[in-house]
């Protein structure tokens, strides 16, 4: 129980501690402009982390999400050039969902470990992005640029941008899916004990394909956010963001072994990573040390996750 309490509430205490420390050490942290900026910075990783949370709880990894993000962004721009911004938006998200479904089918049919299969597919998808773009940066037509970038504009809610609201909506949908549906219970069951889930009548492969499809949809949405901010897309967009998303999920307390976790945890993990980065910028610290801190946080989170399991298996009753 003690370790469960640490995992449940330790991340919230850590987040509160970072907020207090930054509030006391700099006069600009609590300004409206900086807080809006922090929320905006968290969006892309937050979207990827929401999809990654479902995957990890289900017992699989999706290392292809940043490549899916890039292809979705490129498709969104190209469709915008020929059919307008609304069609481009829809095409970007649909592309991510389709690619996520393909990833899930490959993992399910090949029976290769998801870590290896999605790593290989990420290389394939990056290559596809290069083929589509010819290695160049793609842009909407000049007359379409303002409409295309509408998604990234501030709203009337204190300057909070539309992508921040999109993240809130996606996170709420993922939370409802995990916590309030039969599918969510199946995701937890498959990640916790696949054999027991199979014996209880749960079809494992469709559940895993579904979480990959959701992860792809989140990646497609993240790609749309990135490309509307920049007004362009390229094959190298979002490189290595999948590792940051996994870090946020793990730091948030979702079990790396599957079966346990929650969407709110990943959002806290995203907030911690974003605030660390923001703090380094505000205080003018060397960003090299930020990577050291993030690595130590991941190590601590994984250790706390494994420790109670290790104690259970070494208890006298075993």
């Amino acid at each position: 129980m003690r370790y469960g309490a640490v995992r449940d509430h330790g991340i919230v205490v850590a987040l509160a501690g970072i907020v207090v420390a930054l509030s006391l050490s700099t006069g600009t942290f609590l300004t409206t402009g900086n807080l809006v900026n922090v929320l905006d910075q968290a969006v892309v990783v937050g979207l990827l982390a929401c999809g990654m949370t479902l995957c990890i709880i289900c017992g699989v990894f999706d290392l292809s999400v940043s490549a899916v993000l890039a292809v979705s962004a490129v498709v969104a721009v190209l469709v915008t050039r020929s059919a307008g911004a609304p069609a481009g938006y829809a095409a970007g998200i649909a592309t991510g969902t389709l690619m996520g479904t393909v990833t899930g089918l490959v993992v399910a049919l090949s029976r290769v470990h998801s870590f290896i299969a999605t790593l290989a597919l990420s290389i394939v998808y990056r290559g596809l992005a290069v083929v589509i773009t010819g290695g160049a940066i793609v842009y909407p037509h000049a007359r379409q640029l303002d409409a295309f970038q509408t998604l990234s504009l501030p709203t009337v809610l204190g300057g909070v941008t539309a992508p921040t609201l999109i993240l809130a909506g996606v996170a709420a949908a993922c939370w409802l899916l995990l916590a309030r549906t039969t599918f969510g219970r199946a995701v937890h069951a498959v990640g916790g004990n696949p054999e027991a889930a199979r014996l209880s009548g749960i079809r494992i492969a469709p559940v895993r394909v579904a979480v990959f499809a959701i992860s792809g949809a989140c990646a497609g949405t993240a790609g749309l956010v990135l490309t509307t901010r920049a007004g362009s897309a390229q094959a190298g967009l979002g490189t290595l963001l999948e590792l940051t998303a996994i870090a946020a999920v793990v730091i948030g307390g979702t079990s790396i072994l599957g079966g346990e976790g929650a969407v709110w945890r990943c959002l806290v993990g995203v907030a911690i990573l974003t605030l660390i980065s923001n703090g380094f910028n505000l205080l003018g610290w060397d960003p090299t040390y930020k990577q050291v801190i993030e690595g130590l946080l991941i190590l601590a989170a994984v250790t706390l996750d494994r420790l109670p399991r290790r104690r259970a298996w070494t208890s006298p009753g075993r």
Side-chain angles (χ1 to χ4, degrees), residues 193-206:
N193 191 325
E195 182 61 18
R198 184 184 68 81
L199 292 175
S200 66
I202 297 174
R203 299 178 63 192
I204 296 175

Side-chain angles (χ1 to χ4, degrees), residues 19 57 155:
V19 170
I57 292 175
T155 67

Side-chain angles (χ1 to χ4, degrees), residues 15-84:
L15 177 61
I18 294 173
V19 170
V20 171
L22 291 177
S23 301
L24 296 176
S25 60
T26 172
T28 56
F29 174 72
L30 291 178
T31 60
T32 301
N34 184 65
L35 293 178
V36 169
N37 182 52
V38 167
L39 291 173
D40 209 35
Q41 289 177 354
V43 170
V44 173
V45 173
L47 288 168
L48 296 180
C50 285
M52 194 70 71
T53 296
L54 269 71
C55 288
I56 292 178
I57 292 175
C58 197
V60 294
F61 291 89
D62 189 358
L63 298 183
S64 68
V65 287
S66 68
V68 171
L69 178 156
V71 176
S72 300
V74 167
V75 170
V77 171
L78 295 179
V79 172
T80 295
R81 289 176 63 90
S82 59

Side-chain angles (χ1 to χ4, degrees), residues 23-269:
S23 301
L24 296 176
S25 60
T26 172
T28 56
F29 174 72
L30 291 178
T31 60
T32 301
N34 184 65
L35 293 178
V36 169
N37 182 52
V38 167
L39 291 173
D40 209 35
Q41 289 177 354
V43 170
V44 173
V45 173
L47 288 168
L48 296 180
C50 285
M52 194 70 71
T53 296
L54 269 71
C55 288
I56 292 178
I57 292 175
C58 197
V60 294
F61 291 89
D62 189 358
L63 298 183
S64 68
V65 287
S66 68
V68 171
L69 178 156
V71 176
S72 300
V74 167
V75 170
V77 171
L78 295 179
V79 172
T80 295
R81 289 176 63 90
S82 59
Y89 290 176
I93 297 174
T95 298
T97 306
L98 176 61
M99 294 179 72
T101 304
V102 170
T103 300
L105 289 172
V106 170
V107 171
L109 295 176
S110 69
R111 299 194 177 182
V112 175
H113 193 283
S114 60
F115 190 95
I116 302 300
T118 58
L119 177 61
L121 285 172
S122 71
I123 299 172
V124 174
Y125 294 159
R126 284 285 177 191
L128 178 62
V130 172
V131 170
I132 294 174
T133 61
I137 301 175
V138 293
Y139 304 87
H141 294 298
R143 66 179 184 278
Q144 299 172 321
L145 187 58
D146 288 342
F148 185 68
Q149 292 189 294
T150 300
L151 185 65
S152 63
L153 295 178
T155 67
V156 295
L157 302 176
V160 172
T161 61
T164 300
L165 301 180
I166 291 173
L167 172 59
V170 169
C174 289
W175 174 78
L176 286 172
L177 197 62
L178 268 179
R180 294 289 185 267
T181 66
T182 302
F183 172 76
R185 291 191 289 274
V187 169
H188 282 89
V190 171
N193 191 325
E195 182 61 18
R198 184 184 68 81
L199 292 175
S200 66
I202 297 174
R203 299 178 63 192
I204 296 175
V207 172
R208 287 179 172 169
V209 172
V211 297
F212 276 114
I214 294 169
S215 180
C218 291
T221 305
L224 193 60
V225 170
L226 274 182
T227 192
T228 54
R229 284 178 182 171
S232 63
Q234 55 183 310
L237 194 67
T239 302
L240 297 182
L241 280 180
E242 69 276 13
L243 300 183
T244 306
I246 292 174
V249 174
V250 172
I251 290 171
T254 293
S255 175
I256 201 73
L257 301 177
E260 298 178 19
V263 173
W264 73 265
R265 293 182 187 276
C266 88
L267 294 180
V268 174

